[in-house]
Amino acid sequence: MTLKLPIYFDNHATTPMDPRVLEEMLPYFTEKFGNAASNSHSFGWEAKDAVEQSREKVAALIGAEAKNIVWTSGATEATNLAIKGAAESYRAKGDHIITQATEHKATLDTCRHLEKQGFKVTVLPVDGEGRVNPDDVKAAITDRTLLVSVMLANNEVGTIQPVSEIGHICRERGVLFHCDAVQGAGKIPFDVNEACVDLASLSAHKIYGPKGVGALYVRRDKPRVVLTAQMDGGGHEQKMRSGTLNVPGIVGFGKACELCRAEMAGEAVRLAAMRDYMESVFLKEIEFAHVNGCRAHRLPGNLNISFPYVEGESIMISMKDVAVSSGSACTSASLQPSYVLKAMGLPDELAHTSIRFGLGRFNTMEEAEYVAKLAVEKIAALRELSPLYEMAKEGIDLSKIQWNPVDD
Ligand SMILES: *Cc1c(COP(=O)(O)O)cnc(C)c1O
């Protein structure tokens, strides 16, 4: 068995499209090209039928009814629509939004935008494993709170949030609950009714579907959620999101959800076995290796791990045939390590030396074995060059060292 290089272990950033999804989409680019809003001829009806079938499939993945699914261009748009749309609609009821520190930028920056418009935003902290405490949510809710937004699973460390507990608290207090379910839906069980979720963002390209298509789940009864549209136009999608539908993308999204639903249980076991194998190799072979996140509540394909005394960037460069990502954002001008790892209280030296391995449907155990072995070799070689590592091995407490002369 020969291994094909490069190896893709960055499935939290995006996933390759499943060939079965592509096959389903292809006719909708050519012979079945109709506009789903054209209701006067068979081209339009055919497109509309396909869109409605997909709506059923996406809804089924999250235990929802098809009428509650609104198509968008992706999860960023879905989250903007959920949070801004609710904020505008419920302004009279309240002006307070609660979220938490490790949310995706789509959520945090949307909240920041609303803050500039006069809304109050509470960003709750997380614990060392990246989990938000439901009691903190409960304590933060006031009479002015209109929305709580907490993600299902984190894209960096894979930490799964206690969304069901949070959902029940929100329901009891009459506060809307939005959940960015992008990384979790299709990979772990998620049911909007069981979790009392009122709004949920989804994206096709994180679950082996096409890029540029997503959806927002919007609860229609108990309670009926009313959102102010953020895109004005033809009044598509029950007036919540105007614009001609991306029919091939929607067909692909539906197929992607159908496949995830059918294969999720077995796939979770397979991915967790590969991930656990890599984790055990690293913990055994690499001194001071430190797993980031929550081992008890973690996505099956996620392994975020720090290798102190070697920069994440250096590890990535040394394994150029392996696509992973690092918590040290030296690509940006800021040199700031990941805000997610920082929010979890990781010291800079752990954040800067972290690597995220994101395993997915098309990865194999052979790849996991190859990458684990390669990483162990490369990290050992890099540490040979690291004076800090030598000092740490000699038992010197690096945190006690004063690196720079003090000026004053
Ligand atoms: C990728 C991602 C998003 C954004 O989704 P797009 O469809 O790419 O806009 C939002 N939240 C999480 C957790 C993600 O991983």
Side-chain angles (χ1 to χ4, degrees):
M1 159 98 204
T2 54
L3 219 56
K4 198 170 153 293
L5 297 176
I7 291 170
Y8 188 73
F9 269 7
D10 203 15
N11 285 280
H12 300 297
T14 192
T15 52
M17 209 162 70
D18 191 302
R20 294 170 290 182
V21 170
L22 176 65
E23 196 184 332
E24 198 94 349
M25 290 169 68
L26 283 174
Y28 293 90
F29 287 105
T30 51
E31 67 263 33
K32 302 184 182 182
F33 60 84
N35 184 330
S38 303
N39 55 18
S40 56
H41 51 68
S42 65
F43 295 87
W45 303 332
E46 185 177 50
K48 172 136 171 57
D49 273 355
V51 164
E52 296 316 315
Q53 277 178 36
S54 279
R55 215 186 286 278
E56 300 277 352
K57 293 175 186 172
V58 172
L61 182 68
I62 59 169
E65 284 176 70
K67 65 172 200 266
N68 296 355
I69 299 296
V70 173
W71 303 117
T72 65
S73 64
T76 299
E77 188 195 335
T79 296
N80 271 264
L81 173 57
I83 300 176
K84 291 177 184 167
E88 263 187 68
S89 282
Y90 295 92
R91 179 106 217 205
K93 175 182 184 281
D95 58 359
H96 180 224
I97 296 167
I98 299 169
T99 186
Q100 60 89 23
T102 68
E103 290 292 310
H104 191 271
K105 288 289 182 189
T107 298
L108 293 176
D109 287 357
T110 298
C111 288
R112 200 153 301 151
H113 175 92
L114 288 171
E115 213 169 22
K116 286 194 198 119
Q117 310 213 320
F119 286 87
K120 312 259 180 315
V121 177
T122 300
V123 181
L124 295 173
V126 293
D127 65 17
E129 300 188 320
R131 299 244 299 173
V132 61
N133 185 340
D135 289 338
D136 289 350
V137 176
K138 193 185 255 174
I141 293 175
T142 73
D143 294 344
R144 301 292 295 159
T145 308
L146 69 98
L147 180 80
V148 171
S149 182
V150 174
M151 71 202 321
L152 176 57
N154 183 265
N155 44 297
E156 288 190 33
V157 289
T159 297
I160 297 165
Q161 297 291 357
V163 292
S164 185
E165 281 104 306
I166 295 168
H168 281 83
I169 290 167
C170 292
R171 180 65 50 85
E172 202 172 283
R173 299 291 298 272
V175 174
L176 295 179
F177 181 35
H178 167 252
C179 180
D180 169 350
V182 173
Q183 292 286 344
K187 294 169 194 156
I188 55 169
F190 174 63
D191 183 300
V192 289
N193 291 315
E194 186 274 318
C196 296
V197 166
D198 301 311
L199 297 156
S201 303
L202 302 169
S203 181
H205 77 101
K206 304 286 175 76
I207 56 166
Y208 314 97
K211 291 170 185 56
V213 59
L216 181 66
Y217 161 79
V218 184
R219 186 174 292 282
R220 293 304 167 77
D221 43 44
K222 296 184 201 151
R224 177 180 175 81
V225 181
V226 180
L227 296 180
T228 303
Q230 301 297 302
M231 191 92 81
D232 295 306
H236 306 72
E237 297 297 285
Q238 304 174 67
K239 298 198 164 56
M240 280 193 270
R241 200 277 191 173
S242 289
T244 300
L245 294 177
N246 170 6
V247 178
I250 288 167
V251 167
F253 189 12
K255 184 67 183 179
C257 288
E258 183 180 79
L259 293 172
C260 279
R261 190 164 170 243
E263 299 173 3
M264 176 159 54
E267 186 62 2
V269 172
R270 193 184 72 89
L271 290 176
M274 284 159 52
R275 185 271 312 280
D276 291 345
Y277 167 78
M278 293 182 72
E279 183 177 282
S280 68
V281 169
F282 293 145
L283 292 177
K284 179 160 168 281
E285 304 289 339
I286 303 176
E287 206 181 351
F288 310 121
H290 177 272
V291 176
N292 303 315
C294 180
R295 286 162 92 181
H297 304 277
R298 182 167 49 157
L299 289 175
N302 178 278
L303 174 59
N304 189 309
I305 183 164
S306 295
F307 304 112
Y309 317 112
V310 279
E311 288 287 308
E313 298 279 312
S314 313
I315 300 169
M316 289 201 296
I317 292 165
S318 74
M319 307 195 296
K320 59 181 180 342
D321 281 329
V322 181
V324 292
S325 72
S326 160
S328 62
C330 296
T331 42
S332 73
S334 63
L335 279 175
Q336 284 296 309
S338 145
Y339 70 90
V340 171
L341 299 178
K342 294 284 279 181
M344 290 163 54
L346 249 72
D348 280 5
E349 52 288 11
L350 284 182
H352 275 304
T353 58
S354 72
I355 294 286
R356 178 185 70 183
F357 299 90
L359 283 58
R361 183 178 290 166
F362 300 103
N363 294 125
T364 63
M365 193 54 145
E366 285 73 27
E367 289 178 327
E369 286 166 359
Y370 173 88
V371 173
K373 185 163 176 284
L374 182 72
V376 167
E377 282 168 19
K378 296 296 184 187
I379 291 162
L382 288 165
R383 279 187 172 174
E384 286 291 306
L385 308 171
S386 164
L388 293 181
Y389 177 61
E390 289 304 317
M391 290 162 77
K393 262 204 324 194
E394 284 161 24
I396 299 170
D397 185 348
L398 295 174
S399 67
K400 301 256 155 59
I401 294 178
Q402 193 179 312
W403 297 103
N404 296 308
V406 180
D407 285 328
D408 54 346

